[in-house]
Amino acid sequence: MISVTDKKNCCGCTACVNACPVSCIKMERDSEGFLYPQVNTDLCINCGKCDKVCPLLNKTDLPFPEKAFILRNNDAQTVKTSTSGGAVSVFASKIISGGGVVFGGAFGKNYYVEHRRAETEEELKMFKSSKYVQCDPRDSFAEVKRELSSGRLVMFTGTPCQVAGLKSYLSKPFDNLFTVDFVCRAVPSPKAWDRYREFSEQKYGSKLSYACFREKTYGYHSSNMSLRFENGKKYLGNTHTDPYLKSFFDGMNIRPSCFDCAFRQAGRVSDLTVFDCWNITRYVPSVKDDDKGYTACFVQSKKGEEMLNKCSGDLTKYSADAELLVKHCGHMAVQNPKPHPKRAEFFEMLGENQPIDTIINKLSPVQTKHRVFDKLKPVLYRTGLLKLVK
Ligand SMILES: Cc1cc2nc3c(=O)[nH]c(=O)nc-3n(C[C@H](O)[C@H](O)[C@H](O)COP(=O)(O)OP(=O)(O)OC[C@H]3O[C@@H](n4cnc5c(N)ncnc54)[C@H](O)[C@@H]3O)c2cc1C
């Protein structure tokens, strides 16, 4: 029977919940806002299926990917509204045009981040761009299985642990399943995100109408948290000044299992692994980086390679050295983030309903140089000096 005695040993993927034949496992939120399985022992029949599908209890070492590419969606507007090169949107469109269904991380009610399904090009738009919050898979694993069993083409995108959890739950390979994961620094707490949203809505006196964690307002290399409100007000903040992003990159608001991630290796069970390519010129000297963003990609399977070939009309593709990519861009594929020494205080203060900017000002204050730089950014960007300063 699944039992989480050390929170480092559960990534919250829901494989156990879905595998339980008597539905005696439910995901429940802990005080930090992360979901963990809770077993109703009165109903449990001790079949052991939950342990069998747990991707952390059954992890495997995978070979280092042999092939890697740097990709960009040929549609400039999609690149602008995606995290890096908008490559994931091309794969998803291919699945939709083949009559398939796509599952990915999207905003639900009150900007709650959850796995949703898309069956049209219009619906696919909700997946664009990274949401730096742990995405709730809800009942997507079971839905994926139903669709696969009916013979339909299915694409699933998620964190490495979610894709590993899904595959473990499915327990057999499906030719009609295509999976994409990403190099994942870590997943922040949905409670921290919710508190940040509430704090921002209060500060700007209006409901949130748009949120993007990586808007390319000042280019790809200076992407920002961007919020817009129903009253027309706007907010932009970067990794050094925005309290939510700061708590993410400082290692405060993230899930315990991410500090010792079982899936942190370049080889994955997915078909393709995507991540940020920060400087294409390093890998493809003939291409000058235009600060719009490129997606780096590891090919993890034959199916992944076939997908890249099928998408060649919609993607610009350069081959790259996988080891070099890990070294300079995808180091989070192999290197765990460190917990902030005041992580426990962060969650304590969050539990006391203290505003997130008060918490950050106390535990990890924004440096004056970063505040000044943030204020000067629009001018530096307009005059072309931003690149030089960075
Ligand atoms: C929590 C998180 C951490 C990341 N950490 C890193 C990192 O350390 N280094 C790095 O190089 N890249 C990281 N990435 C990946 C990177 O941000 C881009 O997603 C990647 O470069 C692909 O970009 P794209 O423009 O091709 O696609 P995008 O437009 O970014 O599409 C990405 C896909 O990811 C899905 N998605 C978005 N948010 C979530 C979520 N919270 N959970 C599950 N699925 C989601 C969407 O549904 C979409 O299908 C991270 C992404 C996330 C969500």
Side-chain angles (χ1 to χ4, degrees), residues 135-146:
C135 178
D136 181 350
R138 299 186 306 120
D139 47 4
S140 61
F141 284 17
E143 265 187 73
V144 166
K145 192 174 193 173
R146 263 196 307 276

mmCIF file with all atom_site columns, all heavy atoms in Angstrom, residues 135-146:
data_model
loop_
_atom_site.group_PDB
_atom_site.id
_atom_site.type_symbol
_atom_site.label_atom_id
_atom_site.label_alt_id
_atom_site.label_comp_id
_atom_site.label_asym_id
_atom_site.label_entity_id
_atom_site.label_seq_id
_atom_site.pdbx_PDB_ins_code
_atom_site.Cartn_x
_atom_site.Cartn_y
_atom_site.Cartn_z
_atom_site.occupancy
_atom_site.B_iso_or_equiv
_atom_site.pdbx_formal_charge
_atom_site.auth_seq_id
_atom_site.auth_comp_id
_atom_site.auth_asym_id
_atom_site.auth_atom_id
_atom_site.pdbx_PDB_model_num
ATOM 1  N N   . CYS A 1 135 ? 1.312   21.324 -11.939 1.00 0.00 ? 135 CYS A N   1
ATOM 2  C CA  . CYS A 1 135 ? 0.067   21.137 -12.680 1.00 0.00 ? 135 CYS A CA  1
ATOM 3  C C   . CYS A 1 135 ? -0.653  19.909 -12.095 1.00 0.00 ? 135 CYS A C   1
ATOM 4  O O   . CYS A 1 135 ? -0.048  18.856 -11.914 1.00 0.00 ? 135 CYS A O   1
ATOM 5  C CB  . CYS A 1 135 ? 0.474   20.894 -14.130 1.00 0.00 ? 135 CYS A CB  1
ATOM 6  S SG  . CYS A 1 135 ? -0.854  20.566 -15.246 1.00 0.00 ? 135 CYS A SG  1
ATOM 7  N N   . ASP A 1 136 ? -1.935  20.067 -11.811 1.00 0.00 ? 136 ASP A N   1
ATOM 8  C CA  . ASP A 1 136 ? -2.732  18.966 -11.267 1.00 0.00 ? 136 ASP A CA  1
ATOM 9  C C   . ASP A 1 136 ? -3.180  18.066 -12.433 1.00 0.00 ? 136 ASP A C   1
ATOM 10 O O   . ASP A 1 136 ? -3.968  18.507 -13.268 1.00 0.00 ? 136 ASP A O   1
ATOM 11 C CB  . ASP A 1 136 ? -3.949  19.572 -10.536 1.00 0.00 ? 136 ASP A CB  1
ATOM 12 C CG  . ASP A 1 136 ? -4.839  18.520 -9.907  1.00 0.00 ? 136 ASP A CG  1
ATOM 13 O OD1 . ASP A 1 136 ? -4.641  17.321 -10.171 1.00 0.00 ? 136 ASP A OD1 1
ATOM 14 O OD2 . ASP A 1 136 ? -5.764  18.913 -9.158  1.00 0.00 ? 136 ASP A OD2 1
ATOM 15 N N   . PRO A 1 137 ? -2.723  16.802 -12.454 1.00 0.00 ? 137 PRO A N   1
ATOM 16 C CA  . PRO A 1 137 ? -3.118  15.934 -13.588 1.00 0.00 ? 137 PRO A CA  1
ATOM 17 C C   . PRO A 1 137 ? -4.609  15.573 -13.577 1.00 0.00 ? 137 PRO A C   1
ATOM 18 O O   . PRO A 1 137 ? -5.124  15.058 -14.561 1.00 0.00 ? 137 PRO A O   1
ATOM 19 C CB  . PRO A 1 137 ? -2.273  14.676 -13.391 1.00 0.00 ? 137 PRO A CB  1
ATOM 20 C CG  . PRO A 1 137 ? -1.259  15.006 -12.363 1.00 0.00 ? 137 PRO A CG  1
ATOM 21 C CD  . PRO A 1 137 ? -1.832  16.106 -11.516 1.00 0.00 ? 137 PRO A CD  1
ATOM 22 N N   . ARG A 1 138 ? -5.304  15.818 -12.448 1.00 0.00 ? 138 ARG A N   1
ATOM 23 C CA  . ARG A 1 138 ? -6.719  15.443 -12.262 1.00 0.00 ? 138 ARG A CA  1
ATOM 24 C C   . ARG A 1 138 ? -6.920  14.010 -12.750 1.00 0.00 ? 138 ARG A C   1
ATOM 25 O O   . ARG A 1 138 ? -6.157  13.134 -12.411 1.00 0.00 ? 138 ARG A O   1
ATOM 26 C CB  . ARG A 1 138 ? -7.632  16.435 -12.972 1.00 0.00 ? 138 ARG A CB  1
ATOM 27 C CG  . ARG A 1 138 ? -7.507  17.882 -12.454 1.00 0.00 ? 138 ARG A CG  1
ATOM 28 C CD  . ARG A 1 138 ? -8.518  18.783 -13.090 1.00 0.00 ? 138 ARG A CD  1
ATOM 29 N NE  . ARG A 1 138 ? -8.466  18.719 -14.530 1.00 0.00 ? 138 ARG A NE  1
ATOM 30 C CZ  . ARG A 1 138 ? -9.475  18.347 -15.314 1.00 0.00 ? 138 ARG A CZ  1
ATOM 31 N NH1 . ARG A 1 138 ? -10.639 18.057 -14.802 1.00 0.00 ? 138 ARG A NH1 1
ATOM 32 N NH2 . ARG A 1 138 ? -9.340  18.303 -16.616 1.00 0.00 ? 138 ARG A NH2 1
ATOM 33 N N   . ASP A 1 139 ? -7.955  13.812 -13.603 1.00 0.00 ? 139 ASP A N   1
ATOM 34 C CA  . ASP A 1 139 ? -8.187  12.423 -14.056 1.00 0.00 ? 139 ASP A CA  1
ATOM 35 C C   . ASP A 1 139 ? -7.646  12.187 -15.467 1.00 0.00 ? 139 ASP A C   1
ATOM 36 O O   . ASP A 1 139 ? -8.121  11.317 -16.194 1.00 0.00 ? 139 ASP A O   1
ATOM 37 C CB  . ASP A 1 139 ? -9.679  12.088 -13.967 1.00 0.00 ? 139 ASP A CB  1
ATOM 38 C CG  . ASP A 1 139 ? -10.534 13.181 -14.558 1.00 0.00 ? 139 ASP A CG  1
ATOM 39 O OD1 . ASP A 1 139 ? -9.955  14.154 -15.097 1.00 0.00 ? 139 ASP A OD1 1
ATOM 40 O OD2 . ASP A 1 139 ? -11.769 13.078 -14.510 1.00 0.00 ? 139 ASP A OD2 1
ATOM 41 N N   . SER A 1 140 ? -6.609  12.979 -15.829 1.00 0.00 ? 140 SER A N   1
ATOM 42 C CA  . SER A 1 140 ? -6.114  12.887 -17.217 1.00 0.00 ? 140 SER A CA  1
ATOM 43 C C   . SER A 1 140 ? -5.519  11.514 -17.551 1.00 0.00 ? 140 SER A C   1
ATOM 44 O O   . SER A 1 140 ? -5.658  11.048 -18.683 1.00 0.00 ? 140 SER A O   1
ATOM 45 C CB  . SER A 1 140 ? -5.096  13.991 -17.503 1.00 0.00 ? 140 SER A CB  1
ATOM 46 O OG  . SER A 1 140 ? -3.984  13.881 -16.663 1.00 0.00 ? 140 SER A OG  1
ATOM 47 N N   . PHE A 1 141 ? -4.869  10.849 -16.579 1.00 0.00 ? 141 PHE A N   1
ATOM 48 C CA  . PHE A 1 141 ? -4.261  9.544  -16.884 1.00 0.00 ? 141 PHE A CA  1
ATOM 49 C C   . PHE A 1 141 ? -5.337  8.546  -17.359 1.00 0.00 ? 141 PHE A C   1
ATOM 50 O O   . PHE A 1 141 ? -5.144  7.827  -18.336 1.00 0.00 ? 141 PHE A O   1
ATOM 51 C CB  . PHE A 1 141 ? -3.556  8.952  -15.652 1.00 0.00 ? 141 PHE A CB  1
ATOM 52 C CG  . PHE A 1 141 ? -2.220  9.587  -15.319 1.00 0.00 ? 141 PHE A CG  1
ATOM 53 C CD1 . PHE A 1 141 ? -1.854  10.819 -15.835 1.00 0.00 ? 141 PHE A CD1 1
ATOM 54 C CD2 . PHE A 1 141 ? -1.324  8.943  -14.479 1.00 0.00 ? 141 PHE A CD2 1
ATOM 55 C CE1 . PHE A 1 141 ? -0.630  11.400 -15.521 1.00 0.00 ? 141 PHE A CE1 1
ATOM 56 C CE2 . PHE A 1 141 ? -0.092  9.504  -14.152 1.00 0.00 ? 141 PHE A CE2 1
ATOM 57 C CZ  . PHE A 1 141 ? 0.248   10.737 -14.674 1.00 0.00 ? 141 PHE A CZ  1
ATOM 58 N N   . ALA A 1 142 ? -6.449  8.537  -16.648 1.00 0.00 ? 142 ALA A N   1
ATOM 59 C CA  . ALA A 1 142 ? -7.530  7.605  -17.013 1.00 0.00 ? 142 ALA A CA  1
ATOM 60 C C   . ALA A 1 142 ? -8.123  7.979  -18.368 1.00 0.00 ? 142 ALA A C   1
ATOM 61 O O   . ALA A 1 142 ? -8.442  7.111  -19.195 1.00 0.00 ? 142 ALA A O   1
ATOM 62 C CB  . ALA A 1 142 ? -8.608  7.621  -15.930 1.00 0.00 ? 142 ALA A CB  1
ATOM 63 N N   . GLU A 1 143 ? -8.236  9.297  -18.598 1.00 0.00 ? 143 GLU A N   1
ATOM 64 C CA  . GLU A 1 143 ? -8.779  9.764  -19.891 1.00 0.00 ? 143 GLU A CA  1
ATOM 65 C C   . GLU A 1 143 ? -7.852  9.364  -21.039 1.00 0.00 ? 143 GLU A C   1
ATOM 66 O O   . GLU A 1 143 ? -8.303  8.952  -22.107 1.00 0.00 ? 143 GLU A O   1
ATOM 67 C CB  . GLU A 1 143 ? -8.904  11.292 -19.889 1.00 0.00 ? 143 GLU A CB  1
ATOM 68 C CG  . GLU A 1 143 ? -10.276 11.801 -19.501 1.00 0.00 ? 143 GLU A CG  1
ATOM 69 C CD  . GLU A 1 143 ? -10.375 13.301 -19.688 1.00 0.00 ? 143 GLU A CD  1
ATOM 70 O OE1 . GLU A 1 143 ? -10.446 13.772 -20.836 1.00 0.00 ? 143 GLU A OE1 1
ATOM 71 O OE2 . GLU A 1 143 ? -10.356 14.012 -18.664 1.00 0.00 ? 143 GLU A OE2 1
ATOM 72 N N   . VAL A 1 144 ? -6.528  9.516  -20.787 1.00 0.00 ? 144 VAL A N   1
ATOM 73 C CA  . VAL A 1 144 ? -5.542  9.137  -21.815 1.00 0.00 ? 144 VAL A CA  1
ATOM 74 C C   . VAL A 1 144 ? -5.708  7.651  -22.139 1.00 0.00 ? 144 VAL A C   1
ATOM 75 O O   . VAL A 1 144 ? -5.758  7.253  -23.307 1.00 0.00 ? 144 VAL A O   1
ATOM 76 C CB  . VAL A 1 144 ? -4.101  9.437  -21.321 1.00 0.00 ? 144 VAL A CB  1
ATOM 77 C CG1 . VAL A 1 144 ? -3.066  8.759  -22.202 1.00 0.00 ? 144 VAL A CG1 1
ATOM 78 C CG2 . VAL A 1 144 ? -3.840  10.941 -21.270 1.00 0.00 ? 144 VAL A CG2 1
ATOM 79 N N   . LYS A 1 145 ? -5.839  6.835  -21.105 1.00 0.00 ? 145 LYS A N   1
ATOM 80 C CA  . LYS A 1 145 ? -5.966  5.381  -21.308 1.00 0.00 ? 145 LYS A CA  1
ATOM 81 C C   . LYS A 1 145 ? -7.219  5.048  -22.135 1.00 0.00 ? 145 LYS A C   1
ATOM 82 O O   . LYS A 1 145 ? -7.166  4.221  -23.051 1.00 0.00 ? 145 LYS A O   1
ATOM 83 C CB  . LYS A 1 145 ? -6.025  4.670  -19.958 1.00 0.00 ? 145 LYS A CB  1
ATOM 84 C CG  . LYS A 1 145 ? -5.856  3.177  -20.069 1.00 0.00 ? 145 LYS A CG  1
ATOM 85 C CD  . LYS A 1 145 ? -5.777  2.541  -18.716 1.00 0.00 ? 145 LYS A CD  1
ATOM 86 C CE  . LYS A 1 145 ? -5.311  1.119  -18.791 1.00 0.00 ? 145 LYS A CE  1
ATOM 87 N NZ  . LYS A 1 145 ? -5.073  0.542  -17.474 1.00 0.00 ? 145 LYS A NZ  1
ATOM 88 N N   . ARG A 1 146 ? -8.316  5.724  -21.781 1.00 0.00 ? 146 ARG A N   1
ATOM 89 C CA  . ARG A 1 146 ? -9.575  5.484  -22.524 1.00 0.00 ? 146 ARG A CA  1
ATOM 90 C C   . ARG A 1 146 ? -9.386  5.806  -24.007 1.00 0.00 ? 146 ARG A C   1
ATOM 91 O O   . ARG A 1 146 ? -9.767  5.037  -24.887 1.00 0.00 ? 146 ARG A O   1
ATOM 92 C CB  . ARG A 1 146 ? -10.698 6.349  -21.946 1.00 0.00 ? 146 ARG A CB  1
ATOM 93 C CG  . ARG A 1 146 ? -11.578 5.611  -20.945 1.00 0.00 ? 146 ARG A CG  1
ATOM 94 C CD  . ARG A 1 146 ? -12.889 6.331  -20.679 1.00 0.00 ? 146 ARG A CD  1
ATOM 95 N NE  . ARG A 1 146 ? -12.739 7.714  -20.285 1.00 0.00 ? 146 ARG A NE  1
ATOM 96 C CZ  . ARG A 1 146 ? -12.498 8.121  -19.045 1.00 0.00 ? 146 ARG A CZ  1
ATOM 97 N NH1 . ARG A 1 146 ? -12.398 7.242  -18.075 1.00 0.00 ? 146 ARG A NH1 1
ATOM 98 N NH2 . ARG A 1 146 ? -12.388 9.402  -18.761 1.00 0.00 ? 146 ARG A NH2 1
#
